[in-house]
Amino acid sequence: MLNIVIFGAPGAGKGTQSDLLVERYNLNHISTGDLLRKEIAAQSELGKRIKNIMDSGNLVSDDIVVAMIDQAIATDTQGLLFDGFPRNVSQAETLEKLLEKHGRKLTCVVSLDVPRNELVRRMLERAKVSGRSDDNEVTIMNRLKEYEAKTKPVADFYEKKGLHVKVNGTGDIKAISQSVIAEIDKRK
Ligand code: AMP
């Protein structure tokens, strides 16, 4: 069974590529950002606790997202695509343990490589239509800062394990998808 992480900075196209991967491999798409936004929309206790953190562009606490991932792995029967998780090295270590607990292993981590100026351009463009309260200039800059400081080291973590593969994330969406799929097919 496939267990894939789609990795990259905010605005790299993880969501777009995830939709195409789900179509290709019939995976269970686990986007921690989407799950957190659902909690906020439902105005649950958890949603109320995390709204301000997400609006600021900071990461929410590991416990919250790890509980969501634990649940997703425990109930999955079709293969998993993690999008927006792991966001720091501690989450990456936890993911390894959780997968192991269920007799699974990561297939690979595919990084979408996009230059910073293009990330900013895309996110500002998306801000016009997304309705996401964290798609504004101040928050976008903080999300990129959080990425540089906490998330980028996750790529090195997987590089050392031989699980990391980088794909050019600029250009035609279908062409990017073909590169991503080619890399996954080599490793599955
Ligand atoms: P995303 O939709 O992946 O861009 O995530 C939007 C926001 O949700 C982030 O800026 C964080 O505040 C929060 N978030 C999503 N995934 C995680 C995660 N794995 N760890 C911590 N915070 C997260």
Side-chain angles (χ1 to χ4, degrees):
M1 207 166 352
L2 290 174
N3 299 285
I4 295 165
V5 173
I6 186 94
F7 187 81
K14 299 187 293 294
T16 304
Q17 290 302 323
S18 290
D19 291 344
L20 296 169
L21 287 177
V22 165
E23 219 172 82
R24 173 71 177 77
Y25 298 107
N26 190 31
L27 297 170
N28 195 353
H29 180 206
I30 309 299
S31 158
T32 41
D34 285 350
L35 293 171
L36 294 167
R37 278 186 288 278
K38 269 188 205 147
E39 294 290 335
I40 293 176
Q43 298 186 316
S44 67
E45 276 312 308
L46 174 60
K48 287 177 195 159
R49 256 169 49 214
I50 60 179
K51 181 167 176 17
N52 289 341
I53 303 170
M54 280 179 75
D55 281 349
S56 73
N58 288 341
L59 297 183
V60 307
S61 82
D62 289 352
D63 299 355
I64 293 171
V65 284
V66 164
M68 291 173 159
I69 295 294
D70 194 7
Q71 161 93 353
I73 298 174
T75 53
D76 172 67
T77 55
Q78 57 191 94
L80 290 159
L81 174 61
F82 300 100
D83 164 9
F85 182 92
R87 252 341 202 267
N88 58 37
V89 171
S90 164
Q91 290 181 12
E93 286 166 348
T94 304
L95 177 59
E96 210 168 31
K97 289 189 196 121
L98 290 179
L99 285 171
E100 205 178 283
K101 190 171 89 180
H102 294 277
R104 298 189 186 211
K105 263 194 185 141
L106 266 189
T107 312
C108 59
V109 175
V110 184
S111 271
L112 298 170
D113 192 27
V114 177
R116 189 191 155 91
N117 58 350
E118 173 67 6
L119 295 170
V120 174
R121 192 194 67 74
R122 286 184 190 178
M123 279 195 283
L124 289 175
E125 202 54 39
R126 184 172 77 184
K128 293 180 195 160
V129 291
S130 75
R132 269 177 62 164
S133 48
D134 60 349
D135 274 345
N136 62 74
E137 199 162 349
V138 173
T139 306
I140 285 169
M141 293 309 158
N142 192 42
R143 284 160 67 200
L144 286 171
K145 210 169 102 194
E146 285 281 270
Y147 172 78
E148 290 290 332
K150 297 175 185 165
T151 310
K152 224 176 169 182
V154 172
D156 299 329
F157 174 88
Y158 287 123
E159 188 71 44
K160 285 188 196 124
K161 293 180 181 282
L163 286 169
H164 182 239
V165 37
K166 213 188 222 183
V167 164
N168 179 356
T170 61
D172 179 61
I173 289 171
K174 280 269 174 206
I176 299 168
S177 177
Q178 278 163 7
S179 309
V180 172
I181 286 169
E183 293 298 342
I184 293 171
D185 283 346
K186 273 189 226 162
R187 290 166 176 81
K188 73 176 186 189

